[in-house]
Amino acid sequence: MNKLAELVFVGLGLYDEKDISLRGLDEIREAGAVFAELYTSVMHKLSIKKLEERVGKRISIIPRGVLEEDAGRIILEQAKKGKTVLLVPGDPLIATTHVDLRIRAEKQGIRTRVVHGASIISAVIGLSGLQNYKFGRSVTIPFAEGGFPSETPYRVIGENKAQGLHTLCFLDIKADEEKSMTILEGLKTLQALEGHKKQNIITSETLVIGIARAGSEAPRVKAGDIEDVMNHDFGASPHALIIPGKLHFMEAEALVTFAGAPEEVVERVQ
Amino acid sequence: MNKLAELVFVGLGLYDEKDISLRGLDEIREAGAVFAELYTSVMHKLSIKKLEERVGKRISIIPRGVLEEDAGRIILEQAKKGKTVLLVPGDPLIATTHVDLRIRAEKQGIRTRVVHGASIISAVIGLSGLQNYKFGRSVTIPFAEGGFPSETPYRVIGENKAQGLHTLCFLDIKADEEKSMTILEGLKTLQALEGHKKQNIITSETLVIGIARAGSEAPRVKAGDIEDVMNHDFGASPHALIIPGKLHFMEAEALVTFAGAPEEVVERVQ
């Protein structure tokens, strides 16, 4: 094995080609080959062409869904010859498919490194004004596959609430159909689950927070009663949801100040 | 109020002055005044001087612990005159002190925006190879203040484990004394709590993961039995800990491949 065999995972951040770090840019410039995987997350306005112009180097875009197979093999073969960069949305290694590729690389004797990027996880938490250590397990609300939706989100929100904890709900993305779940669809799914399970976890008085386009130049955050948030126009995707548990005073103040939450609504959950 | 009144929070990422994004750099270049708050988190090798040289602009460093008081007022007065940037370690708004400043700004009619940076939360999770949605609530292990340590970390780890979830443990930083807790000290604290509470949450057979210098050029990740990890030389701070719950197959494989976990140890928790 070539001593210089190396695969560097570089995070692209959240919005466009200007969200990469200076360190990430240097890695591209020094690499023998550069690939980009763009289907594990939505980057609002990324232009690989602009990034290519900036670094003066060709970037190969991995076709959707084949990182596990041929594309992964091609990247690893390239990395065996010398330093190779794989650009990915957000922070690398949050997507399972990248962890899998990293395991394969290391097993073949290829050194791996990570250049971190801004992640949707901390971006959404930060924009909400809620405190990180008060979040329980996060969950994805999936599109219903032929019939009734998965009960997991409802159960996780219930478990977190019972401990006074907030739940960050990612909303499903169907990359193949270029379809991503809206806040309205996510809340309707939770209401349908409430209608079925009847545990009073999602009621008309439940405080919810909708967050659209985290990381973009124009994110939108709105907190309030569920109907209030369902009627709000959040604009383009991607969307996310937070179902708060118990609020600290400063968290309540943040929701009133940044997210237009009515004071009487946040008082209920303090 | 000046229509251009604006405060932009810009994340610096995790390691040095090259971890800022191109977008963040543009914000500095366009700002009337630039401040840096560097005491909410440790950035291994940040040189504000190098950053100043790159952007050709002076950056005022906020003295330790006064963002809440005078320094905050000076920043807000500056922001009222026009676009002002506050540089912060990691991803902005994860620290409460920044959320507080943002609330004060908005209440005074100053527009606020956020340019996200790489966060220690997703960096540590990514480096471990564990899956984000399997983490429960995270917790900080604090230095014992005059006597017995806080029982919160022990309780949170126990609650997460009961649900099969992983726990990310941040280790205390005493900024005033430039002292940060090591993995060894963190594990000793958990053992002391076990000795006191005796709920078999931390035993000699407990799998733990130590992560040093996440985001740096030379992070170190080691997983194994508690004694094994206690005897490992992790090098310089900052350090963090993960106490895994139940492992998926790929998580176990990642710990063996990236973190030198013995196979028989990860098999116990699959």
Side-chain angles (χ1 to χ4, degrees), chain A residues 166-181:
Chain A
H166 314 320
T167 309
L168 169 51
C169 303
F170 298 104
L171 301 174
D172 202 3
I173 296 174
K174 280 204 171 166
D176 299 339
E177 305 166 31
E178 300 202 359
K179 197 173 121 184
S180 59
M181 186 182 282

Side-chain angles (χ1 to χ4, degrees), chain B residues 139-142 148-158 161 167-171 181-203 206-209 226 230 241-243:
Chain B
V139 73
T140 295
I141 303 179
F148 213 76
S150 158
E151 291 178 3
T152 306
Y154 186 83
R155 184 171 48 77
V156 169
I157 293 167
K161 273 205 172 184
T167 308
L168 169 50
C169 302
F170 298 104
L171 300 175
M181 187 182 281
T182 63
I183 289 163
L184 179 61
E185 289 169 324
L187 290 173
K188 278 187 179 166
T189 304
L190 294 180
Q191 284 184 327
L193 289 165
E194 177 64 47
H196 185 62
K197 305 289 287 180
K198 297 187 173 51
Q199 294 170 11
N200 275 317
I201 291 166
I202 306 292
T203 71
T206 299
L207 170 66
V208 303
I209 311 169
I226 192 163
M230 287 174 96
L241 268 173
I242 294 174
I243 316 295

Side-chain angles (χ1 to χ4, degrees), chain A residues 16 23 91 107 122 253, chain B residues 16 23 91 107 122 253:
Chain A
D16 68 12
R23 176 182 311 284
D91 194 23
K107 282 192 171 172
S122 64
E253 210 181 355
Chain B
D16 67 13
R23 176 181 313 286
D91 194 23
K107 282 192 171 172
S122 63
E253 209 180 355

Side-chain angles (χ1 to χ4, degrees), chain A residues 179-248:
Chain A
K179 197 173 121 184
S180 59
M181 186 182 282
T182 63
I183 289 163
L184 179 60
E185 289 170 322
L187 291 173
K188 278 186 179 167
T189 303
L190 294 181
Q191 284 184 327
L193 288 166
E194 177 64 46
H196 183 63
K197 304 289 288 181
K198 295 187 172 51
Q199 295 171 9
N200 277 316
I201 291 167
I202 305 293
T203 73
S204 62
E205 303 230 312
T206 299
L207 170 66
V208 303
I209 310 170
I211 296 141
R213 298 175 304 287
S216 80
E217 285 173 331
R220 187 94 192 82
V221 185
K222 168 69 186 165
D225 281 338
I226 192 163
E227 289 290 337
D228 205 13
V229 173
M230 285 175 98
N231 290 325
H232 187 81
D233 179 9
F234 283 95
S237 65
H239 288 184
L241 269 173
I242 292 174
I243 316 296
K246 218 167 146 49
L247 297 176
H248 277 176

Side-chain angles (χ1 to χ4, degrees), chain B residues 103-114:
Chain B
I103 292 173
R104 284 156 66 198
E106 290 274 346
K107 282 192 171 172
Q108 294 181 34
I110 299 165
R111 204 159 72 99
T112 60
R113 283 191 298 120
V114 182

Side-chain angles (χ1 to χ4, degrees), chain A residues 11-40:
Chain A
L12 286 169
L14 297 167
Y15 183 57
D16 68 12
E17 65 283 350
K18 285 165 65 184
D19 285 317
I20 191 169
S21 66
L22 300 175
R23 176 182 311 284
L25 220 54
D26 283 351
E27 296 284 357
I28 296 179
R29 289 191 175 121
E30 293 161 11
V34 184
F35 297 89
E37 177 284 291
L38 305 175
Y39 58 86
T40 49

